[in-house]
Amino acid sequence: MANTSLRKSESVRHLVFIFGDQLSERLSALNDFSKAEDRIVMAEVDGEATRHWCHKSRLLFFFSAMRHFRDRLLKSGYPLDYHELSDSPSNDTYHDFDEFFGATIESLKPRRVVITEPGDWLVQSKLEQVCARHKVPLEIREDPHYYCSIDQFRIWSQNKKSLVLEHFYRWIRQQHHLLLDSSGKPEGGQWNYDKENRQSFGKRGPGPTVAVASFKPDGLTRTVMRMVEQRFAKHPGSTEAFAYPVTREDAWQAVEDFIEHRLPQFGDYQDAMWTDTDFLNHSRLSAVLNVHLIEPREVVDAAIAAYQSGRAQLNSVEGFVRQVVGWREFVRGIYWTKMPRYLQRNELQCQDRDVPQAYWDGETDMNCIREAMKPVLKHAYAHHIQRLMVLGLYAQLLGVHPRKFHEWHMAMYVDAVDWVSLPNTLGMSQYGDGGIVGTKPYCASGNYIDRMSNYCQACRFDPKTIVGERACPVTIMYWDFLKRHEPRFSSNGRMLFQIKNLQKKSVEELSQIRCAAERLLSES
């Protein structure tokens, strides 16, 4: 526990809770902070670390970034209490946020609790309940970190039959005049260059790439590393390759590295995959964005400046801007306007099936799963196509429960925060929300993976085969998935082509597919 001079017997005006994804001195909860009358509280609690069976590097990233931010606040003279996890659970004072919130409020007796909108509905709900029990007012302030506030999203989305990302994305760009010419039209004459951003590497591969900027763990990070390896020894993954930025200064260095070395090639090949590559041209900035070490406006402005100076092509910059300004803000709006019911959505009526064991250890004969899991196990990271069109795809085809897939994603990815993970996993990846996030399921056969990568070349399975020892599990489960949900998908205009191809299959082929699918399901 780190403390400054304010004694418990003194009156606390505002008790400011700062969560692990809010590591910014520009936090709205600090806007009118009085160092003489107010107090900041931060906490590492076991319940949050074990609510999902977290990857060791994910735990290390959050705890190290939090402790570095704590020290930054203390150096700036903020009165602050910090609850730190030790090497052993037996030394814990609190197990979860409920206990911590209650004990802290009881001890400090603040006249008001102040927070910035958190990234987790459950955490906010717990704090609301604790404050109500202790009869302490809770002030939840808007988070200016984002381009679009929750209230603005509610206004934009009201009375709309469906929420379409492209419509939201154009609206946000117009609101903030991003990539628009002097007449207010989209730069280059198009709003979206997605069709130009789907190239594969072909047989030549990605060629030489500049390694992503890495950051050697300092003494504080090494201390956290030892704690994580001892206390969470049975958790998946490793901390051996940990090289994430955990301070604002290092995070900004990572931004500059991406803009210079990978943004120019990001657009063309953002959907491509290749064996034994961890990051390719992707930014790897999602984690530092999601914990507020850097601001979306900073990275977007830097990317647009690269285009304006001729250092990056428009399709690369627009594709990156669409991820940060469009998709990221869109899913946050959906999360906060649809929770808590959204968590219970299960449109395809999946049974209580968990992800395959290979999603924890990477051990499988399926080379696409094995390759996609390598960076996950090593870095607690995979880029968006590995997540969506390999790991997410196969989980969907197997009928993994969408909430189970979300829980796995929260456990295994360094950038996973509930507001961004849930709509991306349950909604987009698993179609558990029935089309709120995406208008169709993202389903494909092994041919898609073969087209966008070289994974299939080293695999014992053939993506075009559905019978025999070389039959591809992805392709088998794709056709079985379509058949299982044929009545539902037949009314979806964007699925008509796939359903027509399904209906061309003979009774014998469908029978063979069903038998093979049953075997795969029993083994997964």
Side-chain angles (χ1 to χ4, degrees):
M1 177 81 77
N3 295 284
T4 52
S5 58
L6 185 65
R7 296 188 301 273
K8 290 184 179 180
S9 60
E10 295 178 0
S11 175
V12 174
R13 184 187 66 136
H14 289 170
L15 178 59
V16 178
F17 285 109
I18 295 180
F19 304 108
D21 60 343
Q22 299 180 333
L23 310 182
S24 170
E25 288 188 68
R26 290 174 284 185
L27 209 63
S28 59
L30 298 176
N31 283 349
D32 57 350
F33 191 89
S34 168
K35 293 179 180 179
E37 298 179 280
D38 302 337
R39 178 171 285 267
I40 297 171
V41 178
M42 299 176 66
E44 304 164 13
V45 292
D46 183 77
E48 287 300 299
T50 57
R51 190 192 343 165
H52 307 291
W53 197 42
C54 284
H55 192 297
K56 292 174 185 175
S57 282
R58 182 175 189 269
L59 296 173
L60 175 55
F61 172 74
F62 272 90
F63 294 153
S64 178
M66 288 172 67
R67 293 187 190 186
H68 279 89
F69 183 64
R70 169 202 64 192
D71 291 352
R72 186 184 187 109
L73 291 176
L74 289 172
K75 187 176 180 180
S76 297
Y78 284 96
L80 183 148
D81 290 341
Y82 189 97
H83 180 259
E84 190 174 282
L85 288 179
S86 66
D87 292 349
S88 172
S90 62
N91 297 326
D92 287 354
T93 306
Y94 314 104
H95 174 69
D96 57 30
F97 271 137
D98 297 69
E99 296 175 58
F100 177 74
F101 290 150
T104 305
I105 291 171
E106 182 66 30
S107 173
L108 296 177
K109 295 181 172 54
R111 297 197 290 275
R112 180 179 297 271
V113 172
V114 178
I115 63 170
T116 295
E117 295 164 332
D120 189 316
W121 180 88
L122 182 60
V123 169
Q124 178 173 310
S125 178
K126 285 182 177 181
L127 183 54
E128 288 172 338
Q129 293 169 21
V130 171
C131 287
R133 284 201 302 270
H134 286 81
K135 299 180 180 178
V136 177
L138 172 62
E139 181 181 347
I140 304 176
R141 296 179 179 175
E142 181 181 302
D143 191 346
H145 174 81
Y146 302 94
Y147 279 92
C148 182
S149 72
I150 296 168
D151 285 341
Q152 287 171 328
F153 187 88
R154 285 195 177 98
I155 294 170
W156 173 83
S157 62
Q158 65 184 5
N159 301 322
K160 285 182 170 59
K161 292 183 178 179
S162 61
L163 304 181
V164 179
L165 167 64
E166 185 65 23
H167 299 165
F168 173 80
Y169 171 55
R170 295 183 185 188
W171 176 73
I172 281 289
R173 278 179 55 182
Q174 290 170 330
Q175 293 294 306
H176 296 274
H177 203 79
L178 300 171
L179 284 177
L180 302 181
D181 61 24
S182 57
S183 66
K185 295 181 180 179
E187 196 72 41
Q190 295 178 219
W191 286 101
N192 187 316
Y193 290 84
D194 189 45
K195 290 182 179 179
E196 297 181 22
N197 296 347
R198 301 174 185 172
Q199 297 184 44
S200 66
F201 294 123
K203 295 181 179 180
R204 70 188 184 281
T209 56
V210 179
V212 171
S214 61
F215 301 87
K216 185 178 179 180
D218 61 9
L220 181 53
T221 298
R222 290 195 298 272
T223 297
V224 180
M225 189 181 297
R226 287 191 293 270
M227 182 273 286
V228 168
E229 289 289 357
Q230 180 170 329
R231 179 170 180 147
F232 304 100
K234 295 182 179 180
H235 281 229
S238 169
T239 62
E240 290 181 7
F242 187 86
Y244 283 100
V246 292
T247 66
R248 174 168 170 77
E249 293 75 19
D250 285 349
W252 185 248
Q253 186 178 332
V255 173
E256 293 177 328
D257 174 76
F258 168 66
I259 298 296
E260 180 179 356
H261 296 299
R262 278 172 299 288
L263 178 61
Q265 297 299 319
F266 170 72
D268 292 348
Y269 302 108
Q270 65 175 281
D271 286 3
M273 300 173 284
W274 201 258
T275 56
D276 297 318
T277 55
D278 293 334
F279 306 114
L280 290 171
N281 293 309
H282 293 268
S283 72
R284 202 187 70 159
L285 295 175
S286 51
V288 290
L289 272 170
N290 289 350
V291 299
H292 289 43
L293 285 178
I294 52 175
E295 302 289 328
R297 289 170 180 80
E298 294 176 312
V299 296
V300 167
D301 289 348
I304 292 175
Y307 163 68
Q308 292 172 337
S309 64
R311 291 177 292 139
Q313 297 297 314
L314 180 56
N315 69 309
S316 289
V317 173
E318 186 279 319
F320 180 70
V321 169
R322 184 164 10 104
Q323 286 188 347
V324 178
V325 175
W327 189 250
R328 189 169 180 267
E329 304 271 337
F330 183 66
V331 298
R332 179 174 181 261
I334 286 175
Y335 178 87
W336 284 107
T337 55
K338 301 296 181 183
M339 282 293 281
R341 294 180 181 177
Y342 193 84
L343 182 61
Q344 308 305 321
R345 297 295 296 263
N346 183 13
E347 177 70 16
L348 301 182
Q349 300 179 348
C350 298
Q351 301 302 309
D352 197 30
R353 178 180 293 276
D354 210 337
V355 296
Q357 180 60 32
Y359 283 48
W360 298 107
D361 57 27
E363 296 180 8
T364 173
D365 287 343
M366 297 174 64
N367 196 46
C368 60
I369 301 296
R370 191 165 60 243
E371 285 293 331
M373 282 301 302
K374 283 181 180 179
V376 176
L377 293 170
K378 185 178 180 181
H379 301 290
Y381 174 88
H383 68 70
H384 68 274
I385 292 299
Q386 291 172 315
R387 299 193 203 201
L388 177 66
M389 296 307 297
V390 178
L391 299 170
L393 168 65
Y394 194 54
Q396 180 194 64
L397 301 182
L398 288 174
V400 170
H401 194 287
R403 180 172 45 78
K404 295 277 191 180
F405 185 74
H406 164 60
E407 291 169 353
W408 169 80
H409 187 272
M410 284 292 295
M412 294 298 281
Y413 288 91
V414 67
D415 55 10
V417 179
D418 204 57
W419 70 263
V420 70
S421 177
L422 185 61
N424 270 297
T425 54
L426 183 146
M428 184 184 190
S429 176
Q430 303 301 294
Y431 199 66
D433 64 6
I436 294 175
V437 170
T439 55
K440 67 178 286 293
Y442 280 84
C443 58
S445 71
N447 290 326
Y448 173 85
I449 296 172
D450 190 31
R451 184 170 71 253
M452 297 306 299
S453 75
N454 68 336
Y455 292 168
C456 300
Q457 295 175 21
C459 188
R460 77 176 185 88
F461 301 114
D462 178 0
K464 294 180 172 58
T465 302
I466 58 175
V467 178
E469 292 185 359
R470 296 210 65 206
C472 174
V474 177
T475 301
I476 290 168
M477 295 310 305
Y478 166 72
W479 291 114
D480 188 68
F481 175 79
L482 290 181
K483 186 61 180 175
R484 294 198 313 266
H485 300 292
E486 182 180 2
R488 184 189 307 274
F489 296 156
S490 294
S491 60
N492 186 320
R494 295 191 64 198
M495 293 291 292
L496 292 182
F497 179 76
Q498 290 167 290
I499 294 300
K500 285 181 179 179
N501 284 336
L502 171 71
Q503 292 170 347
K504 294 176 183 177
K505 298 287 184 187
S506 68
V507 173
E508 182 181 0
E509 282 183 297
L510 291 174
S511 177
Q512 291 172 330
I513 290 168
R514 180 86 283 265
C515 289
E518 287 178 350
R519 175 180 55 79
L520 289 169
L521 289 168
S522 68
E523 294 172 354
S524 65

